[in-house]
Amino acid sequence: MNPVENLEYNTERPKLIIPEYGRHFQKMVDHAVSIKDDSERNRVAKAIISVMGNLQPHLRDVPDFQHKLWDQLFIMSDFKLDVQSPFPITSKEVLQQRPEPLEYPQNHPKYRFYGNNIKRMIDVAVKWEKGDMRDGLEYAIANHMKKCYLNWNKDTVDDKVIFKHLYELSDGQINLVDENLTESGQFLKNRVSKTGRGGSNKKNQRNNRGKKRY
């Protein structure tokens, strides 16, 4: 007899319920399901749980992890394994239930180029008591808004535009009219210098490509 004719291929085998454990584990579970004697079936089930726990020995004695292993054992048996579990058995119907959809925060800021974090900072600032600390935070927010504006819009912007946007985003609770923000040129200078450093490094990498290293 040609031994090749008796080879089994995965495409011809039953689909693994939990592939991470492999086919040998699945065969062990199938064998446990087929055992007629109750005490022997329970003993084999506990032995399978022990082997499953040995795959992650640092977690095998943690109660929550043990509960997870028993759930996986019942899942691999297609809930046909009749044994006494030390934990409540999760039903097949419960596991197949669709989870409730999570609410995703829908933020639609008027000025998207500032980002959601700016709006959160503004919401925090308006809750602070008026004083030096709040004044400093409001000024820092306005300065950062100007930097964001220059990154995404133009090469220059009047401070009055930033103050107007800040006034709107704070519902009229922050009104900076007599402040002088950092000059636009300073933000642009920092942006160009960072770009220049990055471009120089890439240029050096291209020049060094192909050179022998000793």
Side-chain angles (χ1 to χ4, degrees):
M1 180 180 294
N2 189 352
V4 177
E5 295 178 356
N6 296 325
L7 290 178
E8 287 185 319
Y9 295 93
N10 285 334
T11 53
E12 299 173 350
R13 294 171 174 172
K15 185 178 179 180
L16 292 176
I17 299 176
I18 303 182
E20 290 81 358
Y21 283 107
R23 192 161 299 278
H24 290 297
F25 263 103
Q26 186 63 55
K27 288 183 177 180
M28 290 166 61
V29 175
D30 294 340
H31 171 68
V33 173
S34 67
I35 297 175
K36 302 298 183 181
D37 183 71
D38 289 345
S39 59
E40 177 65 12
R41 189 169 57 251
N42 277 278
R43 187 187 67 80
V44 171
K46 291 178 181 178
I48 294 174
I49 290 292
S50 178
V51 176
M52 292 168 68
N54 286 338
L55 297 177
Q56 301 186 60
H58 60 291
L59 294 174
R60 63 185 175 189
D61 296 325
V62 178
D64 289 343
F65 185 68
Q66 281 283 313
H67 194 174
K68 177 181 178 181
L69 293 181
W70 279 95
D71 280 344
Q72 290 177 338
L73 178 61
F74 287 113
I75 291 171
M76 284 192 288
S77 71
D78 196 23
F79 297 90
K80 297 175 182 177
L81 184 62
D82 183 15
V83 293
Q84 295 178 354
S85 170
F87 304 96
I89 302 174
T90 306
S91 67
K92 186 176 184 179
E93 291 73 21
V94 170
L95 287 174
Q96 291 179 344
Q97 286 180 355
R98 286 181 173 271
E100 293 294 329
L102 293 175
E103 294 184 1
Y104 192 83
Q106 299 294 331
N107 295 321
H108 304 286
K110 184 176 180 180
Y111 305 108
R112 292 178 180 272
F113 45 84
Y114 291 132
N116 290 326
N117 286 336
I118 284 291
K119 186 63 174 70
R120 294 190 185 101
M121 292 168 66
I122 293 172
D123 293 340
V124 170
V126 297
K127 294 178 182 177
W128 286 14
E129 294 184 6
K130 292 187 177 181
D132 292 340
M133 289 187 65
R134 173 167 169 170
D135 292 342
L137 179 57
E138 292 175 352
Y139 180 81
I141 292 172
N143 231 18
H144 193 66
M145 288 173 64
K146 185 173 182 178
K147 181 180 179 182
C148 293
Y149 189 102
L150 293 171
N151 282 339
W152 296 102
N153 287 278
K154 300 179 180 180
D155 291 337
T156 183
V157 58
D158 194 318
D159 289 352
K160 293 180 180 179
V161 175
I162 302 298
F163 297 151
K164 178 177 178 293
H165 292 172
L166 181 55
Y167 185 81
E168 292 180 21
L169 293 173
S170 65
D171 296 325
Q173 298 187 62
I174 299 178
N175 190 14
L176 303 179
V177 292
D178 299 324
E179 299 288 347
N180 293 316
L181 301 177
T182 302
E183 292 292 333
S184 300
Q186 186 62 42
F187 287 128
L188 297 173
K189 181 180 177 182
N190 292 338
R191 187 172 67 185
V192 170
S193 63
K194 290 180 180 178
T195 305
R197 286 198 299 269
S200 177
N201 290 337
K202 290 181 180 178
K203 184 177 179 181
N204 291 335
Q205 290 175 2
R206 286 196 299 269
N207 291 339
N208 291 330
R209 191 177 298 163
K211 291 184 177 180
K212 294 182 179 179
R213 293 182 174 88
Y214 298 95

